[in-house]
Amino acid sequence: MALLLRFLLLCGIVGFTRSLSITTPEQMIEKAKGETAYLPCKFTLSPEDQGPLDIEWLISPADNQKVDQVIILYSGDKIYDDYYPDLKGRVHFTSNDLKSGDASINVTNLQLSDIGTYQCKVKKAPGVANKKIQLVVLVKPSGTRCYVDGSEEIGSDFKLKCEPKEGSLPLQYEWQKLSDSQKMPTSWLAEMTLSVISVKNASSEYSGTYSCTVRNRVGSDQCLLRLNVVPPSNKAGLIAGAIIGTLLALVLIGLIIFCCHKKRREEKYEKEVHHDIREDVPPPKSRTSTARSYIGSNHSSLGSMSPSNMEGYSKTQYNQVPSEDFERTPQSPTLPPAKKWRSPRRGRETVEWPRSMEQSEHM
């Protein structure tokens, strides 16, 4: 009996002995991209924990392709925060005195790559403790665009669409009418929480200003839409106008092509004619100079002839002068007949030429 009492007392003493423990519960934290995430890690020490205090945070990436990696470390009264390149400069301890029992951290400018499981480890020999926190980074809805897909005419069918540029799922939609009666058509009520509203047999009563609000767990965004349902347009007139305009454009293009082609043919013809004149046709000779050279050559020949055959030569030679040259050069002088006389000393006939002939020879 005494032995049993001693055993129970020993177990009670051991049960009441304090040791190092982390008081922060495990949890999941959701934050928006670009925001700051606070990851808590508070601990208590026991009198038996006399060793140096070491604190480290590790991350297990969501893709499970990497092993746990240290992102920040406190050891030997120094902080080391350059272990993980993706979080370098974005992770910090929140407390200036870590020995006070607060090892919480802040992760700033959150990115989608920061999603994962974070683990806080505290060690002070002989005590050791750790806790895990799951961080989820979501994207707020942004860049939401509202527009009408179809023809806004009475009696037609079209769709009202609300599309955010980005935003983490799940997304919730809410349509509201901001103008006129501010009451949505009854046929639309079933689609008021969807991204697309299908409109059938539209009427002018549907005209007005509408808003679409997109939400998720970390934020919301809104866009406005102005709907103006009008009577149907004259489609036949529009089609006829389009056809006439197309025909006129084709005629104009044809005229331009014809004019350009005609101009090129004329330029080509002028170049060919100019080329033939310069290379194929020699320059015309001077008819006056031809006639003069012909007469001059005959005069030189006559000067060397004897009086006995002068008369016959003058008749035959002058009859050989081309008629074309003399017909086109009327300015050429006509020579008077030569005079014959007998020299008393030598008894021979001598020909005397007029002075105008001599002058023409010298020329």
Side-chain angles (χ1 to χ4, degrees):
M1 187 70 181
L3 292 175
L4 180 61
L5 189 60
R6 287 182 181 181
F7 177 76
L8 292 175
L9 182 61
L10 182 62
C11 291
I13 294 174
V14 173
F16 284 107
T17 302
R18 295 180 58 190
S19 63
L20 190 153
S21 64
I22 296 177
T23 58
T24 302
E26 293 186 352
Q27 56 187 296
M28 183 181 71
I29 298 175
E30 291 184 346
K31 286 292 181 178
K33 178 183 176 182
E35 293 183 346
T36 297
Y38 169 72
L39 307 184
C41 182
K42 295 184 178 181
F43 61 92
T44 58
L45 300 173
S46 67
E48 289 81 9
D49 300 328
Q50 299 296 324
L53 178 63
D54 292 331
I55 301 172
E56 66 177 5
W57 278 86
L58 301 94
I59 182 175
S60 299
D63 54 12
N64 295 323
Q65 295 180 359
K66 299 178 181 179
V67 297
D68 293 355
Q69 296 189 23
V70 178
I71 60 175
I72 192 169
L73 173 66
Y74 173 82
S75 179
D77 296 332
K78 292 183 179 181
I79 297 174
Y80 305 91
D81 57 1
D82 56 353
Y83 285 95
Y84 193 58
D86 291 347
L87 286 172
K88 186 176 181 180
R90 296 193 294 121
V91 58
H92 312 280
F93 284 109
T94 59
S95 175
N96 294 327
D97 184 12
L98 299 179
K99 295 179 180 180
S100 63
D102 189 359
S104 305
I105 60 172
N106 281 332
V107 180
T108 61
N109 189 22
L110 288 173
Q111 303 298 318
L112 295 179
S113 59
D114 299 337
I115 298 175
T117 301
Y118 293 74
Q119 183 178 180
C120 175
K121 281 187 176 182
V122 180
K123 178 181 179 182
K124 189 173 177 64
V128 177
N130 65 81
K131 283 293 176 70
K132 293 181 179 180
I133 297 177
Q134 186 177 357
L135 176 62
V136 178
V137 180
L138 302 176
V139 179
K140 292 181 180 179
S142 63
T144 305
R145 174 173 170 256
C146 294
Y147 64 97
V148 179
D149 184 8
S151 177
E152 302 177 44
E153 295 181 351
I154 295 176
S156 62
D157 299 340
F158 53 83
K159 295 180 180 181
L160 307 182
K161 292 188 175 183
C162 179
E163 297 178 352
K165 186 177 181 180
E166 59 180 2
S168 298
L169 300 176
L171 295 173
Q172 297 177 352
Y173 298 87
E174 181 182 0
W175 287 89
Q176 289 182 341
K177 189 175 183 181
L178 305 180
S179 60
D180 299 336
S181 62
Q182 296 186 352
K183 291 183 179 180
M184 299 290 289
T186 305
S187 59
W188 297 9
L189 296 179
E191 300 177 334
M192 295 301 297
T193 57
L194 302 178
S195 61
V196 179
I197 296 179
S198 298
V199 180
K200 305 292 184 181
N201 191 20
S203 66
S204 59
E205 298 178 355
Y206 295 170
S207 298
T209 302
Y210 296 83
S211 70
C212 174
T213 304
V214 188
R215 294 186 178 89
N216 63 7
R217 293 195 296 267
V218 292
S220 63
D221 193 28
Q222 187 182 68
C223 63
L224 298 177
L225 171 66
R226 175 62 186 175
L227 179 62
N228 187 22
V229 182
V230 297
S233 58
N234 187 4
K235 296 183 179 179
L238 293 176
I239 294 173
I243 294 174
I244 294 173
T246 303
L247 292 176
L248 291 175
L250 292 175
V251 171
L252 180 60
I253 294 172
L255 289 174
I256 294 174
I257 295 174
F258 174 76
C259 293
C260 293
H261 181 67
K262 182 178 179 182
K263 186 176 180 180
R264 289 181 180 178
R265 289 183 60 186
E266 291 177 354
E267 292 177 353
K268 182 178 180 181
Y269 176 75
E270 291 178 358
K271 289 181 180 180
E272 290 178 353
V273 172
H274 182 68
H275 180 74
D276 293 342
I277 292 174
R278 293 190 61 180
E279 295 187 0
D280 298 339
V281 180
K285 294 182 180 180
S286 175
R287 296 181 181 137
T288 305
S289 61
T290 304
R292 289 182 179 178
S293 62
Y294 184 81
I295 295 172
S297 63
N298 285 330
H299 285 178
S300 301
S301 300
L302 290 174
S304 61
M305 297 294 291
S306 61
S308 61
N309 57 2
M310 179 63 67
E311 183 176 359
Y313 180 82
S314 61
K315 293 180 180 180
T316 58
Q317 293 294 324
Y318 279 89
N319 291 334
Q320 296 177 359
V321 176
S323 60
E324 180 182 355
D325 291 342
F326 279 93
E327 287 176 359
R328 298 185 181 180
T329 55
Q331 68 275 15
S332 301
T334 56
L335 301 177
K339 296 180 181 181
K340 298 180 181 180
W341 58 282
R342 184 179 297 275
S343 175
R345 292 183 180 182
R346 300 181 181 180
R348 297 165 56 182
E349 290 184 353
T350 304
V351 179
E352 183 180 358
W353 298 95
R355 294 182 179 273
S356 58
M357 182 66 183
E358 294 175 356
Q359 293 177 355
S360 62
E361 290 178 358
H362 290 292
M363 293 176 61

